[in-house]
Amino acid sequence: MANKTVDALVKCPFYVKENENRIVCEGYIKNTCMITKFSDAAQKRAHLRACCFHEDGGKCFFAQSLFRKYEAE
């Protein structure tokens, strides 16, 4: 089930959704998604705060890769 509070805080343009211990984002390959699975909810929350809650993807390696991909197009 989606967490509406989390969805309201997310600013990363590549975020798709989250559930349980997973975050789903746009994939690097066209028409794909990437799923990041965390070992527990605390690790997922830490990632959301460090990455997904920032317009530039924060410290997320995958977001930075996607920004570079779109700059090259």
Side-chain angles (χ1 to χ4, degrees):
M1 172 177 267
N3 182 331
K4 298 296 182 186
T5 303
V6 168
D7 288 347
L9 295 170
V10 169
K11 296 178 183 171
C12 180
F14 308 115
Y15 172 90
V16 175
K17 65 181 179 178
E18 61 89 30
N19 56 37
E20 298 176 8
N21 292 339
R22 296 176 181 89
I23 298 173
V24 181
C25 303
E26 176 181 332
Y28 193 82
I29 299 168
K30 186 177 181 178
N31 298 320
T32 65
C33 288
M34 177 183 60
I35 300 171
T36 304
K37 184 177 178 186
F38 299 88
S39 60
D40 59 44
Q43 286 185 342
K44 183 181 87 171
R45 283 191 306 270
H47 181 85
L48 285 163
R49 283 191 301 273
C51 303
C52 307
F53 294 170
H54 302 273
E55 290 178 6
D56 65 357
K59 298 178 180 178
C60 182
F61 170 80
F62 300 113
Q64 301 312 314
S65 296
L66 286 166
F67 277 118
R68 285 191 299 274
K69 172 188 162 188
Y70 285 113
E71 286 173 2
E73 289 184 350

